[in-house]
Amino acid sequence: MLPFARITIIGLGLIGSSLARAIRAEMPTVRVTGHDADPAVRDTARRIDLCDDITDTAGASVTDADLVILCVPVRAMGAAAAELADDLPADAIISDVGSCKADVLAQLVAALPGRTIIPAHPVAGTENSGPEAGFATLFKGRWCIVTPPADADPVAVERVAELWRRVGADVEMMDPAHHDLVLAVTSHLPHLIAYTIVGTASDLENVTQSEVIKYSAGGFRDFTRIAASDPTMWRDVFLANKDAVLEMLQRFSEDLSALQRAIRWNDGDALFNLFTHTRAIRRSIIEQGQDDAKPDFGRAH
Amino acid sequence: MLPFARITIIGLGLIGSSLARAIRAEMPTVRVTGHDADPAVRDTARRIDLCDDITDTAGASVTDADLVILCVPVRAMGAAAAELADDLPADAIISDVGSCKADVLAQLVAALPGRTIIPAHPVAGTENSGPEAGFATLFKGRWCIVTPPADADPVAVERVAELWRRVGADVEMMDPAHHDLVLAVTSHLPHLIAYTIVGTASDLENVTQSEVIKYSAGGFRDFTRIAASDPTMWRDVFLANKDAVLEMLQRFSEDLSALQRAIRWNDGDALFNLFTHTRAIRRSIIEQGQDDAKPDFGRAH
């Protein structure tokens, strides 16, 4: 039995549009309605036939929904929820796909008091943005972390979990605060570091930007991929998950200082030991199917 | 006309073994002799028929060579060169593939006074190591930076450059010191940062290593690839290019502090502006053929 019959997706970027495609591919009888605040995105979504219906207002998109999934930047969640509050059916479940959960849950509870709110976070994506960047298989073999509030209805939680399983994800339950700490290290800190190093490299006076681009295959290009991710989405993530991000950043800076000191004092053994240790992590990630085993991410050679 | 007739490769890891394969694929009449200090590597190289001949001593590998290319860790270059000094024909050219050039040039000049030394650095690689990790097309479409000493024989420089063109690389000439600064930012700093963040992530007390591995698709996994590179090679690079690496690290740390401050003070505009700027760099790298245009490096979805 399908977990939902009429799903509304608010925000038709990479994740929202991938979810629309995945639902239509895996559950063709579900009616998918979409809305995006940007008229140009709505036009594109209509042109590529992304949903069964695209509405011009958020309210019109939810009037008969049994699930509404907000796929907007994390600091826009509260406003997006407030906009559809008056039109939301009493028994509809509200969910989202945001990269931080404690802050989003607080926003949704404030905007929709008394409603059934089951936040979730599919840990998947690419560096591209917009309705045309999405694809139906984005969530296959990836984890989706569902972070229900402590008093959530178990049936509602299971329906949201089942939706993600249907589009190919493995589902894990987690406390929102713990989610935010885990993602601070596995996702937010890496993005922050990547944005920083790409900024540093493009801002030197003794090495030109064209040299940086030309010789990027030495390692730098790997960082440019996630540093090409959506600026609005990521600005919001860092501000909404500030405490956890700053904590992880502090630890990273300490470790970097230790390495800097090892280089300055020619401590080759300290470097060698760390570099041997980090190899094992890569191996585990590949063994668990979370990355391609092919060298160089499988890039064409 | 072929630039060389008898090429010796000392060190049969990823780069040395790729070069042997590429030379045999592109210039089948060239005789390729190989040597590696590790008997197990020599056995493997013989088993997979990597070269026309594999010798048990470095000296025996160079007796009739017109080009000797050292493909060993950068701090082992001087010793490797000294070992073959007595057997090296007078007119043979010595080259190498090391990731830092000023330090290597000094080592080679000291070990082989009066010889024709033309260092080079192909900016290419994968995270894998050893003779079985190499492949003939590794250098295709990549840059090879040739860093001749100021008084180098132009004919010898051109012969080395031509070898790299024959295996598919584009060749650029550069002063060794400038090379070391450019590579510090496009290759050495990225590796140092990647090693650090993977170390940080595996060392937390409130997030388990299994959680880090499980949710690595949020960005972290990108860093694990280059943090899986050869520990000996990279220990040597950081120590041999210490000054340039420490300078770039200092700049990176300053930029990271600025970003940390922007997060702490909720300066969303500063974040947004940087994140918009870094997108353009990715675009240029793809336009210039230095990375795959496909989303997510072309990983299978």
Side-chain angles (χ1 to χ4, degrees):
Chain A
M1 202 186 118
L2 293 171
F4 299 98
R6 292 171 309 279
I7 299 175
T8 295
I9 299 173
I10 307 279
L12 301 171
L14 171 69
I15 303 296
S17 75
S18 291
L19 186 56
R21 287 175 174 93
I23 293 170
R24 294 180 89 187
E26 302 294 336
M27 292 167 278
T29 60
V30 171
R31 181 169 172 85
V32 180
T33 303
H35 170 73
D36 194 286
D38 181 345
V41 170
R42 296 198 298 268
D43 286 349
T44 303
R46 285 186 183 112
R47 180 171 50 74
I48 64 178
D49 189 30
L50 186 66
C51 301
D52 297 303
D53 190 22
I54 303 284
T55 66
D56 283 333
T57 67
S61 74
V62 301
T63 47
D64 66 352
D66 51 9
L67 173 68
V68 177
I69 306 190
L70 302 174
C71 304
V72 301
V74 287
R75 290 203 309 167
M77 292 284 182
E83 203 183 339
L84 48 79
D86 291 345
D87 298 285
L88 196 63
D91 58 352
I93 294 173
I94 313 299
S95 188
D96 77 295
V97 296
S99 281
C100 21
K101 307 290 10 155
D103 184 85
V104 168
L105 178 62
Q107 288 181 55
L108 297 184
V109 168
L112 300 170
R115 300 301 192 128
T116 305
I117 298 166
I118 313 290
H121 175 208
V123 185
T126 78
E127 66 276 28
N128 295 340
S129 312
E132 293 181 288
F135 50 97
T137 57
L138 178 63
F139 310 108
K140 281 202 196 298
R142 298 278 79 85
W143 289 95
C144 181
I145 305 174
V146 179
T147 59
D151 60 350
D153 170 17
V155 175
V157 173
E158 174 52 29
R159 288 171 71 194
V160 170
E162 179 60 16
L163 173 82
W164 285 104
R165 283 185 214 109
R166 294 276 185 142
V167 297
D170 294 314
V171 172
E172 196 72 67
M173 298 290 157
M174 214 181 270
D175 169 73
H178 187 64
H179 166 280
D180 290 355
L181 210 53
V182 172
L183 271 288
V185 66
T186 62
S187 177
H188 308 169
L189 180 62
H191 277 79
L192 192 66
I193 299 299
Y195 279 124
T196 305
I197 194 172
V198 176
T200 303
S202 66
D203 243 12
L204 300 165
E205 71 284 356
N206 42 12
V207 175
T208 67
Q209 189 156 319
S210 101
E211 286 173 322
V212 167
I213 290 162
K214 208 159 158 179
Y215 306 115
S216 60
F220 177 72
R221 62 177 179 169
D222 280 23
F223 292 72
T224 62
R225 188 186 76 79
I226 62 177
S229 302
D230 187 67
T232 305
M233 171 190 160
W234 283 97
R235 176 199 62 198
D236 277 19
V237 167
F238 296 126
L239 298 179
N241 197 24
K242 187 201 285 200
D243 293 344
V245 168
L246 289 178
E247 185 191 329
M248 292 304 167
L249 194 49
Q250 187 55 41
R251 285 161 183 269
F252 170 81
S253 296
E254 287 164 17
D255 293 345
L256 190 61
S257 294
L259 218 48
Q260 183 167 1
R261 193 171 189 283
I263 293 172
R264 200 178 292 285
W265 292 95
N266 297 312
D267 186 352
D269 290 347
L271 300 178
F272 184 83
N273 290 342
L274 172 66
F275 302 169
T276 307
H277 175 62
T278 51
R279 250 188 169 177
I281 305 256
R282 174 78 186 161
R283 209 153 37 225
S284 304
I285 287 174
I286 290 169
E287 277 164 15
Q288 295 190 21
Q290 292 304 313
D291 206 346
D292 212 312
K294 292 198 282 289
D296 214 10
F297 302 122
R299 281 175 176 122
H301 276 287
Chain B
M1 204 184 115
L2 294 170
F4 299 99
R6 293 172 308 281
I7 299 176
T8 296
I9 299 173
I10 307 278
L12 302 173
L14 171 70
I15 303 297
S17 75
S18 292
L19 186 56
R21 288 176 174 92
I23 293 170
R24 294 180 90 186
E26 302 295 333
M27 293 167 280
T29 61
V30 171
R31 182 170 170 83
V32 180
T33 303
H35 170 72
D36 195 285
D38 182 344
V41 171
R42 295 198 298 269
D43 287 348
T44 303
R46 285 186 184 111
R47 180 171 50 75
I48 64 178
D49 189 30
L50 186 66
C51 301
D52 297 304
D53 191 20
I54 304 283
T55 67
D56 283 333
T57 67
S61 74
V62 302
T63 48
D64 66 350
D66 51 8
L67 173 69
V68 177
I69 306 189
L70 302 174
C71 304
V72 300
V74 288
R75 290 203 310 167
M77 293 284 183
E83 203 182 340
L84 49 78
D86 291 344
D87 298 286
L88 196 65
D91 57 351
I93 294 173
I94 313 299
S95 189
D96 76 295
V97 296
S99 281
C100 21
K101 306 294 5 158
D103 184 84
V104 169
L105 179 61
Q107 288 181 56
L108 296 184
V109 167
L112 301 169
R115 301 301 193 130
T116 306
I117 297 164
I118 313 289
H121 175 209
V123 185
T126 77
E127 66 276 28
N128 294 342
S129 312
E132 294 181 287
F135 49 97
T137 56
L138 179 61
F139 310 109
K140 282 203 195 298
R142 297 278 80 83
W143 289 95
C144 181
I145 306 175
V146 179
T147 59
D151 60 349
D153 169 17
V155 175
V157 173
E158 174 52 29
R159 287 172 71 194
V160 170
E162 179 61 15
L163 173 83
W164 285 104
R165 283 185 213 109
R166 294 276 186 140
V167 297
D170 295 314
V171 172
E172 195 71 67
M173 298 291 158
M174 214 182 270
D175 170 71
H178 187 62
H179 166 280
D180 290 355
L181 210 53
V182 171
L183 271 289
V185 66
T186 61
S187 177
H188 309 169
L189 180 62
H191 277 79
L192 192 67
I193 299 298
Y195 279 123
T196 306
I197 193 172
V198 175
T200 303
S202 66
D203 245 11
L204 300 166
E205 71 284 355
N206 43 11
V207 176
T208 67
Q209 189 157 317
S210 100
E211 286 174 322
V212 166
I213 290 162
K214 208 160 158 179
Y215 306 115
S216 60
F220 178 72
R221 63 178 178 167
D222 280 24
F223 291 71
T224 63
R225 189 186 75 78
I226 62 177
S229 302
D230 187 66
T232 306
M233 172 191 158
W234 282 97
R235 175 199 63 196
D236 278 19
V237 167
F238 296 127
L239 297 179
N241 198 24
K242 187 202 285 201
D243 293 345
V245 167
L246 289 177
E247 185 190 329
M248 292 305 167
L249 194 49
Q250 187 55 41
R251 284 161 184 269
F252 170 80
S253 295
E254 287 165 17
D255 292 346
L256 190 62
S257 295
L259 218 48
Q260 184 168 0
R261 193 173 190 282
I263 293 172
R264 200 178 295 285
W265 292 95
N266 298 312
D267 186 353
D269 290 347
L271 300 177
F272 185 84
N273 290 341
L274 172 66
F275 302 168
T276 307
H277 175 63
T278 51
R279 249 187 170 179
I281 305 255
R282 175 79 187 161
R283 209 152 37 223
S284 303
I285 287 174
I286 290 169
E287 277 164 14
Q288 295 191 22
Q290 292 304 312
D291 207 345
D292 212 312
K294 292 198 282 290
D296 215 10
F297 300 123
R299 279 175 178 123
H301 277 286

